[in-house]
Amino acid sequence: MKRPKLKKASKRMTCHKRYKIQKKVREHHRKLRKEAKKRGRKKPRKDPGVPNSAPFKEALLREAELRKQQLEELKQQQKLDRQKEQNKKRKLETDPDVELSNTEPESGQRKAKRAKTSKQSPKMLHCQELKKVIEASDVVLEVLDARDPLGCRCPQVEEAIIRGGQKKLVLVLNKSDLVPKENLENWLSYLKKELPTVVFKASTQLKDKRKRIKVKKKAALSKSEACVGKEGLWKLLEGFQKTCGKAIHVGVIGFPNVGKSSVINSLKQEQICSVGVSMGLTRCMQLVPLDKQITIIDSPCFIVSPLNSAPALALRSPASIEEVKPLEAASAILSQADAQQVVLKFTVPVFTNSLEFFTSFAQRRGLHQKGGSPNVERAARVLWSEWTGAFLVYYCHPPASWTPPPHFNESIVTDMKWGFDLEELEKNNAHSIQAIKSPHLASSILFQSSGLTNGVTDEKDIPEELPKQKKQKQEQEESYEDVRIDQGIVDKEGDDESLDMSPAEEACEALPEKSQAEKQSAPSFVLDKMTEEEDDAYDFSTDYV
């Protein structure tokens, strides 16, 4: 107990506690002595050296002495080299004009790339990477969220693909299990009039290539976790590759959080591309070979134009690039949703405005500030993350009459459909719709779509940032550049295992360090207990992996 007006706590303890510790220590020492008796005491053998009767004894001793001197000289040389490098680095920090002479070519290239990319904003880099993907692709898969397919389409990008020459555009209706079946069928019949459309549901449970864990029994995936529509998409790409008669590249594009990387992982049946809840996780193009003839390319998300409506900006703006206020974004989304269904879904009382909803929503979820007042901003952030995530069930009605967009005409539609087996695609889509376990219409929220979302394809069209925004984003850009450069180098080497670690994995890696620190600080008699508990945990984890 810490005594008043004293800096340090008292080290006094009760006699009962002291005697208990002494007893535990004695038991621990007794246990060690027993184990040493069982093993038998073995004294360390001394090196007898070279016997006098051995021939060429003097020569052998001379060789050993020379070897010892060489090792010492090598250590001294290494020490001097290290000191020289440190001095050069210090000179470079004080005088930036001085260049390192003994630097590796790879590190020089990386520094040059970092200096080049530091002047560019993440939006410009996203546009550049997207252009590269479109140029390198023979077939482009535009991934759409089935809950709002029209809002996930970007006319500027589609126009750039049409202008790019003989490139095919295919629509992929991902997250099909989050909309009612009737609504999914209506959207399919609407979209297939323009472009070949594939009904798809990405797998939510895939093994990570980085974690090599031996699994004794492979449990079959449930219907909610299994991929649907993979065979239809695979056959579509295979058929087009056969008609072309050459190896093809397939680019995957789309707005943030539509599931581009999840589609690639489902086709490959491995978690190769990084997937997460946060928007805009993929930051540069990544090549993933599906087989010898088909290579798929992952791409960063589209950049949303600021001229869009407030709900479109809230749903399609990645938080890592855009500065979106959660309260404004969530209010804009709430204004487009059916109020009665929102009340039933989130079990809150009837509300007249968004502030009233967030107050009751915060109270319902237990989100409070200091003093017990409801945290409205945090409630808005929760709703925004749920609406852009992959679990909330809502749907939009397709337009009553089909009208082709201005960048499409009859000749372009026929060109886009050439080379694909549409009859087989229709059969596969019908089979996928039957296999998907869709939610009921009563449990879904009706959402009013804001139509096509305008995007930015050219770096010149990106609006200039304010000085305050530049200062706030400077730290984010530096970390982004390091990740991008690392991913680019790995792509050249052909290594697919260079992925950003998720916060969960970093936390898992931090756990052993904590346990080691605890072991160092723990008394000796507690060590056996800790090791026994670790052994039990290890056995349990190996049995149930």
Side-chain angles (χ1 to χ4, degrees):
M1 181 181 170
K2 192 173 178 181
R3 289 171 291 173
K5 297 182 182 180
L6 288 175
K7 290 181 181 178
K8 292 182 181 179
S10 173
K11 292 183 181 179
R12 284 183 177 180
M13 63 176 74
T14 59
C15 293
H16 174 73
K17 192 175 181 182
R18 186 167 66 250
Y19 296 150
K20 193 176 179 182
I21 291 168
Q22 289 172 3
K23 186 181 177 184
K24 291 250 182 186
V25 170
R26 284 197 300 274
E27 284 174 2
H28 178 67
H29 289 318
R30 195 182 298 118
K31 189 178 178 183
L32 290 177
R33 285 197 297 273
K34 274 187 181 180
E35 286 175 0
K37 254 187 189 179
K38 285 177 185 177
R39 287 195 302 268
R41 297 190 181 186
K42 293 179 181 179
K43 290 182 180 179
R45 289 184 180 181
K46 291 182 181 179
D47 186 13
V50 183
N52 292 327
S53 58
F56 313 111
K57 180 184 174 180
E58 291 179 0
L60 287 169
L61 290 171
R62 214 177 296 117
E63 279 180 12
E65 196 68 32
L66 282 168
R67 211 176 292 116
K68 195 176 179 181
Q69 285 177 2
Q70 284 173 1
L71 284 169
E72 285 178 0
E73 285 173 5
L74 185 67
K75 282 181 183 178
Q76 286 291 333
Q77 188 65 35
Q78 286 175 352
K79 193 177 179 180
L80 289 169
D81 290 341
R82 280 197 298 272
Q83 286 176 355
K84 282 179 183 178
E85 283 179 7
Q86 285 175 359
N87 291 331
K88 282 178 183 176
K89 282 178 183 176
R90 282 171 194 156
K91 283 179 184 177
L92 189 69
E93 286 173 3
T94 52
D95 190 5
D97 297 330
V98 179
E99 293 183 357
L100 289 171
S101 58
N102 295 328
T103 52
E104 294 178 359
E106 287 182 4
S107 62
Q109 286 174 5
R110 289 181 77 180
K111 283 178 183 176
K113 280 183 182 179
R114 192 175 290 143
K116 190 179 178 182
T117 53
S118 62
K119 296 175 184 177
Q120 296 176 337
S121 66
K123 291 183 183 179
M124 292 179 75
L125 294 168
H126 273 236
C127 285
Q128 289 172 7
E129 293 293 317
L130 188 64
K131 278 184 180 178
K132 287 179 191 175
V133 172
I134 292 168
E135 285 172 9
S137 304
D138 301 304
V139 180
V140 180
L141 303 178
E142 189 176 9
V143 184
L144 312 177
D145 193 333
R147 297 174 289 185
D148 185 12
L150 206 63
C152 294
R153 290 185 67 177
C154 181
Q156 287 78 17
V157 175
E158 289 180 4
E159 199 174 345
I161 292 163
I162 292 162
R163 280 192 272 104
Q166 294 182 350
K167 295 183 189 296
K168 304 294 177 186
L169 183 62
V170 179
L171 302 178
V172 179
L173 271 175
N174 194 25
K175 301 182 184 178
S176 303
D177 59 323
L178 298 177
V179 292
K181 278 188 182 179
E182 293 175 7
N183 187 256
L184 184 62
E185 287 169 357
N186 293 338
W187 271 113
L188 185 63
S189 59
Y190 179 84
L191 294 169
K192 72 181 182 183
K193 291 174 183 176
E194 292 175 31
L195 295 164
T197 309
V198 183
V199 174
F200 200 88
K201 181 208 163 289
S203 179
T204 57
Q205 200 73 18
L206 289 167
K207 62 178 181 179
D208 197 341
K209 196 178 178 183
R210 294 167 292 177
K211 296 176 183 176
R212 303 185 181 277
I213 303 168
K214 291 181 180 179
V215 183
K216 291 180 180 179
K217 293 179 181 179
K218 292 183 179 179
L221 292 174
S222 64
K223 285 185 180 180
S224 61
E225 293 173 348
C227 176
V228 178
K230 188 186 85 171
E231 291 178 5
L233 184 56
W234 190 275
K235 284 177 183 177
L236 192 76
L237 297 173
E238 247 180 1
F240 181 74
Q241 186 270 321
K242 285 173 184 176
T243 53
C244 289
K246 61 170 187 178
I248 59 167
H249 286 79
V250 182
V252 181
I253 60 171
F255 279 104
N257 270 26
V258 292
K260 301 182 291 295
S261 301
S262 299
V263 169
I264 296 168
N265 291 340
S266 300
L267 288 171
K268 188 71 178 173
Q269 291 183 327
E270 278 182 315
Q271 195 172 345
I272 288 174
C273 302
S274 53
V275 178
V277 180
S278 57
M279 299 170 107
L281 209 64
T282 306
R283 291 174 175 176
C284 67
M285 64 182 288
Q286 183 181 351
L287 295 169
V288 179
L290 292 181
D291 59 10
K292 291 180 181 179
Q293 301 297 326
I294 301 170
T295 304
I296 204 156
I297 309 169
D298 194 9
S299 70
C301 60
F302 299 155
I303 300 300
V304 185
S305 173
L307 303 172
N308 286 294
S309 62
L313 287 169
L315 287 168
R316 313 290 167 219
S317 300
S320 58
I321 296 172
E322 302 282 352
E323 280 192 5
V324 184
K325 293 179 181 178
L327 196 63
E328 292 177 7
S331 299
I333 291 165
L334 202 65
S335 64
Q336 300 294 105
D338 187 79
Q340 191 177 357
Q341 290 174 346
V342 167
V343 165
L344 292 170
K345 181 72 179 175
F346 294 104
T347 58
V348 292
V350 179
F351 57 93
T352 53
N353 54 21
S354 59
L355 190 64
E356 193 178 334
F357 169 77
F358 292 130
T359 306
S360 54
F361 184 65
Q363 288 172 349
R364 176 74 182 171
R365 294 287 179 97
L367 306 172
H368 299 290
Q369 292 177 337
K370 281 186 177 179
S373 59
N375 195 339
V376 175
E377 194 172 346
R378 195 177 166 194
R381 196 179 288 111
V382 168
L383 182 78
W384 183 37
S385 64
E386 282 187 10
W387 212 277
T388 53
F391 297 103
L392 190 69
V393 177
Y394 68 91
Y395 67 99
C396 301
H397 286 306
S401 60
W402 178 77
T403 51
H407 56 277
F408 272 97
N409 54 40
E410 289 181 4
S411 61
I412 291 168
V413 169
T414 51
D415 286 341
M416 287 293 173
K417 290 180 180 179
W418 181 85
F420 295 113
D421 192 351
L422 298 176
E423 290 180 2
E424 192 178 3
L425 176 63
E426 198 169 347
K427 288 177 185 176
N428 289 325
N429 282 338
H431 181 69
S432 299
I433 290 168
Q434 286 179 356
I436 288 168
K437 190 180 178 181
S438 300
H440 295 291
L441 197 68
S443 62
S444 307
I445 301 170
L446 179 62
F447 186 76
Q448 191 179 352
S449 178
S450 53
L452 296 169
T453 307
N454 295 314
V456 179
T457 53
D458 199 357
E459 297 94 342
K460 296 174 185 176
D461 299 333
I462 295 169
E464 291 185 2
E465 294 176 353
L466 296 169
K468 287 182 181 179
Q469 291 177 350
K470 285 183 181 179
K471 285 179 182 179
Q472 287 174 0
K473 291 185 182 181
Q474 194 173 2
E475 294 179 0
Q476 292 179 0
E477 285 175 17
E478 287 172 3
S479 61
Y480 163 69
E481 287 150 19
D482 295 334
V483 171
R484 186 178 176 276
I485 290 161
D486 292 339
Q487 285 184 355
I489 291 164
V490 171
D491 286 342
K492 285 181 182 178
E493 292 172 358
D495 185 10
D496 292 326
E497 295 183 6
S498 66
L499 299 171
D500 296 338
M501 291 187 73
S502 63
E505 288 172 352
E506 290 174 4
C508 288
E509 284 195 359
L511 286 173
E513 295 174 5
K514 190 179 177 184
S515 62
Q516 283 175 10
E518 286 173 359
K519 281 185 183 179
Q520 287 175 2
S521 63
S524 58
F525 66 87
V526 184
L527 292 176
D528 282 338
K529 200 167 185 179
M530 288 174 73
T531 50
E532 283 170 10
E533 286 173 2
E534 284 176 2
D535 290 340
D536 294 339
Y538 177 77
D539 294 335
F540 178 80
S541 62
T542 49
D543 289 338
Y544 289 92
V545 166

